[in-house]
Amino acid sequence: MSSSRPIASRAGADAPRDFVSSVVHSFRSASPLAQELLARDLEACSDDGDAPDDEAVGQDSDSDDGHTLTLYRRPSGIAYGSIRPTQGPSRLDLEPVLTREERQLSRDAERSLLRDNHLLPPKHPVVEKPSLIRRWYKSLFNTKVPISESDAESAAAPSGRETEVSPLLGTRAARSPASHEHLNEQWEAAVAEGKIKTTWQREAKTIALYSRSLIVTFVLQYSINVASIFAVGRIGKLELGAVSLATMTANITCYAPFQGLATSLDTLCAQAYGSGHRHLVGLQCQRMTVFLWLLIIPVAAVWSQAEPILALLIPEKRSAELAAQYLHVSLLGVPAMVAFEAGKRFVQAQGLFHATTYVLMIAAPLNILLNYLFVWRFGWGFVGAPIAVVVTQNLLPLLLFLYVWLIDGHQCWGGFSKRAFANWGPMVRLALPGMIMVTAEWFAFEILTLASGQFGTSYLAAQSVLVTLTSLTYQIPFPLSIAGSTRVANLIGAKLAGAARTSAKVTFVGGFLVGMFNLTVVAAFRYQIPLLFTQDPEVVEIVAQAIPVCAVMQLFDGMAGVAHGLLRGIGRQEIGGYANLGAYYLVALPVAFGLSFGLDWKLEGLWFGVTIGLILVGLIEYWFIYQSDWDRAVREAEDRNHTG
């Protein structure tokens, strides 16, 4: 696993080798680089006479000293893509810094688990003679751990002796009001005694609660790009294919690399937030924003020559022309996209995860309205779609700024600083692994769009429908994988290996059920779904022929996403990264090209190859999870938290 020792700087001929070595090392653990960057910033603050904030974040006045088995972790590392959302390298080796509200959530979760294990009195009075319906409901949804007959007899029998653990483990003592005054001691003693267990009902309830708001956020974010596809698809199949081609180009050359680089803020902002110097959170965001704004210059150079470049890759010249037009307009929204990605990490580091949801609840419906007005009402046609996206992208950071200024989050903003133009080295080395991971995963799917353009305009338009459909359905299993990852990491960090295994099983079943649901819906409406995008009969027929393959893919897509989340939960996310890269590039893409071009299966061949790759990814990852030593994962997590 990762080392906690800082990376020493070297000079001379060893510098290139050391840079490569640090990048490879940071792929597995970015903590030393983050510590190096934080140390430099803290030294600069010290030189300027800045002192830590009096009320360090997470050090609330009501915090309990020695409370080490925290049961609350927040999901982070989320990159909202325009096609498939991804997560950058996980930071499980960082001790979570809790706000006051999060600390209360942690206490509530611990208290609830103590009740479920009969170590605290029930929250509601026990009904002596429940009704038949109540008994049925309780048998299905009750989260309490069943008591064995021997435990029930020993709990009912009067105890003649009191020990130092009897206030926690004895039923009579647990029911006394005094037990609530020592919740932390009770929790730690119960964990040490191995008394904390969980049920599938509790884990299902918790994971559903975690993923609920994430699903809403992902769907809202994705709708910004989907709205333009729906609007343009009604114009014609040429325009529909051009949108897909433009989106593919934008994802590979800009959105994926930029969002991958921005995932480093999930580590940098979290450590800055926990250092007590809250203004450093704003400094990290400024530094990343300036860095990405400079990278827009080469992106603009590529997009300005998009038409001749795309014309070399696809036979349809008009599609290349429209796609280039889309990119030229979309360039006006890239600076705002960068600011929003950095601002999103700024509020997430403070535990304000609902901030982006509130912003999207305003921006997403407005984007739909703008697409209708610009494309159809004002008669701007194809060019109206990218204009609507640009307006929405520029609105997102503005709304987030208003939230921070007027509602919450401004405490971590120390104003604009010239330090944003310095100390970029560790930040870049920390950001590169995230960029490689995100870009590699996106490129494997985006290359299918480029390949489909070789079959003609109708197939390119059909590919646009299939990509949009599969990406939309992915907005359900991916948040579920984040919830499962968060819950498993939560329980691992609290030294509850058995409970973590139970939660992993529940997440696995949830992924299977979601995959079956998506499969059923997609297969049942194979002829109705393409009509939502286009009325062209040729495109509709091509989509309907390929949808059965995409429907089967839904099951394995969801299962693979959940498996990757579980690997992140036990701190072995690098296995998922290697499995993804190997399965996609060594198996999926060669099979896809062989079937689509060699056997002339066209789109069915492309998606069949991806399905084979997802099956392989799932098999590798689930085999590794099945063989994993969960007790060892607990020990490794404990070591990371002590040394991180």
Side-chain angles (χ1 to χ4, degrees):
M1 294 299 291
S2 62
S3 170
S4 62
R5 293 173 295 179
I7 298 177
S9 58
R10 299 180 179 89
D14 291 339
R17 182 180 61 187
D18 292 334
F19 177 77
V20 174
S21 175
S22 66
V23 170
V24 174
H25 178 75
S26 64
F27 180 79
R28 301 186 63 183
S29 175
S31 181
L33 288 173
Q35 291 173 358
E36 177 186 346
L37 184 59
L38 180 61
R40 292 184 183 181
D41 288 332
L42 290 177
E43 183 180 359
C45 291
S46 178
D47 293 340
D48 291 346
D50 294 339
D53 298 327
D54 293 335
E55 296 179 1
V57 179
Q59 305 298 324
D60 300 310
S61 58
D62 62 341
S63 61
D64 300 299
D65 296 333
H67 185 197
T68 58
L69 299 182
T70 302
L71 191 66
Y72 180 78
R73 289 174 183 263
R74 54 175 100 103
S76 62
I78 306 170
Y80 303 105
S82 58
I83 293 296
R84 294 174 67 85
T86 57
Q87 283 186 278
S90 179
R91 300 292 0 111
L92 297 180
D93 55 344
L94 301 178
E95 184 71 19
V97 181
L98 305 186
T99 64
R100 185 185 301 271
E101 179 182 358
E102 291 169 335
R103 190 174 296 277
Q104 184 60 46
L105 289 174
S106 174
R107 293 195 182 107
D108 292 342
E110 292 167 354
R111 185 179 292 108
S112 181
L113 267 176
L114 288 172
R115 287 197 184 103
D116 281 355
N117 286 271
H118 313 283
L119 303 177
L120 282 180
K123 187 175 183 179
H124 303 288
V126 178
V127 180
E128 293 289 338
K129 296 181 179 180
S131 63
L132 178 62
I133 296 179
R134 188 179 183 89
R135 290 199 302 269
W136 175 80
Y137 178 85
K138 185 176 180 180
S139 64
L140 286 179
F141 301 106
N142 185 28
T143 61
K144 291 189 179 297
V145 177
I147 305 179
S148 63
E149 294 183 2
S150 59
D151 292 338
E153 292 175 358
S154 62
S159 175
R161 294 183 302 173
E162 296 293 334
T163 67
E164 59 184 8
V165 297
S166 57
L168 172 65
L169 303 179
T171 304
R172 294 170 57 192
R175 292 179 181 273
S176 64
S179 63
H180 292 278
E181 299 176 1
H182 307 285
L183 177 63
N184 297 338
E185 291 80 0
Q186 289 179 297
W187 172 257
E188 294 181 10
V191 172
E193 291 288 328
K195 299 294 183 179
I196 299 296
K197 297 179 175 61
T198 188
T199 61
W200 71 264
Q201 292 94 333
R202 164 163 288 281
E203 295 311 304
K205 178 181 178 181
T206 302
I207 291 173
L209 184 64
Y210 280 9
S211 59
R212 180 181 59 190
S213 59
L214 287 175
I215 292 175
V216 174
T217 304
F218 274 78
V219 171
L220 288 174
Q221 176 84 18
Y222 184 65
S223 69
I224 293 177
N225 290 276
V226 166
S228 62
I229 295 177
F230 275 104
V232 169
R234 295 285 176 169
I235 300 177
K237 63 181 180 182
L238 184 67
E239 290 77 7
L240 181 59
V243 169
S244 181
L245 188 62
T247 303
M248 178 272 298
T249 306
N251 286 336
I252 293 177
T253 59
C254 179
Y255 296 148
F258 281 23
Q259 292 189 16
L261 291 169
T263 57
S264 65
L265 290 179
D266 297 308
T267 298
L268 296 174
C269 290
Q271 289 203 352
Y273 187 75
S275 70
H277 295 75
R278 291 185 283 189
H279 68 280
L280 291 184
V281 181
L283 175 61
Q284 304 293 2
C285 291
Q286 291 180 49
R287 186 175 287 143
M288 178 58 70
T289 301
V290 173
F291 173 63
L292 293 180
W293 277 348
L294 289 178
L295 294 183
I296 295 177
I297 297 176
V299 170
V302 173
W303 286 14
S304 65
Q305 300 299 316
E307 183 175 349
I309 294 175
L310 293 176
L312 296 175
L313 300 176
I314 61 172
E316 180 55 54
K317 305 302 181 184
R318 179 58 178 166
S319 294
E321 180 182 346
L322 290 176
Q325 184 182 20
Y326 193 102
L327 291 173
H328 294 162
V329 177
S330 298
L331 187 62
L332 300 176
V334 175
M337 182 274 292
V338 167
F340 181 66
E341 287 299 317
K344 183 167 58 184
R345 269 74 181 188
F346 175 79
V347 294
Q348 285 180 355
Q350 304 175 61
L352 305 175
F353 283 89
H354 292 297
T356 52
T357 302
Y358 297 148
V359 168
L360 290 169
M361 288 177 67
I362 299 174
L366 181 61
N367 177 70
I368 297 175
L369 176 62
L370 292 176
N371 271 277
Y372 166 73
L373 292 176
F374 294 167
V375 175
W376 296 103
R377 186 69 175 178
F378 297 163
W380 294 355
F382 178 83
V383 75
I387 293 176
V389 172
V390 167
V391 173
T392 305
Q393 286 180 331
N394 282 275
L395 184 63
L396 288 174
L398 177 61
L399 291 175
L400 191 59
F401 167 77
L402 292 175
Y403 180 93
V404 172
W405 180 35
L406 300 176
I407 300 177
D408 198 5
H410 57 275
Q411 301 89 346
C412 291
W413 180 256
F416 294 99
S417 173
K418 62 182 180 181
R419 296 195 190 113
F421 299 92
N423 202 13
W424 283 15
M427 178 192 69
V428 173
R429 285 184 291 160
L430 180 62
L432 284 177
M435 184 198 71
I436 294 172
M437 175 69 71
V438 174
T439 304
E441 184 175 349
W442 279 24
F443 186 76
F445 281 86
E446 300 297 352
I447 200 171
L448 299 181
T449 299
L450 187 62
S452 65
Q454 301 298 319
F455 303 131
T457 303
S458 297
Y459 283 92
L460 184 60
Q463 174 68 7
S464 179
V465 175
L466 294 173
V467 168
T468 304
L469 172 63
T470 55
S471 300
L472 184 60
T473 56
Y474 192 64
Q475 310 305 314
I476 303 177
F478 184 70
L480 178 67
S481 74
I482 297 175
S485 172
T486 302
R487 182 61 172 176
V488 169
N490 185 351
L491 296 171
I492 289 286
K495 305 179 184 178
L496 303 176
R501 280 194 295 266
T502 301
S503 185
K505 293 176 183 178
V506 170
T507 307
F508 172 84
V509 174
F512 176 80
L513 294 177
V514 168
M516 288 299 299
F517 172 79
N518 287 342
L519 185 156
T520 303
V521 172
V522 171
F525 297 98
R526 59 181 295 193
Y527 287 101
Q528 289 75 23
I529 289 175
L531 293 175
L532 299 174
F533 297 86
T534 180
Q535 299 294 323
D536 187 277
E538 185 180 4
V539 176
V540 171
E541 183 60 30
I542 295 174
V543 173
Q545 290 178 359
I547 272 185
V549 180
C550 293
V552 174
M553 192 202 81
Q554 298 301 308
L555 176 61
F556 301 104
D557 198 14
M559 296 297 293
V562 166
H564 196 53
L566 295 179
L567 285 175
R568 296 172 61 83
I570 62 176
R572 300 304 304 270
Q573 63 276 6
E574 74 276 6
I575 300 299
Y578 299 146
N580 274 337
L581 294 179
Y584 288 146
Y585 291 96
L586 299 181
V587 178
L589 292 182
V591 170
F593 291 149
L595 294 177
S596 59
F597 293 99
L599 299 182
D600 199 30
W601 287 16
K602 295 187 171 61
L603 290 190
E604 293 97 316
L606 292 177
W607 287 97
F608 188 85
V610 172
T611 303
I612 295 297
L614 289 170
I615 293 174
L616 184 59
V617 168
L619 290 175
I620 294 173
E621 294 184 349
Y622 280 119
W623 176 85
F624 187 88
I625 294 170
Y626 179 77
Q627 297 291 332
S628 295
D629 185 346
W630 291 73
D631 293 319
R632 178 184 176 184
V634 169
R635 294 192 297 270
E636 290 174 345
E638 186 177 7
D639 293 340
R640 286 194 302 266
N641 285 334
H642 281 308
T643 61

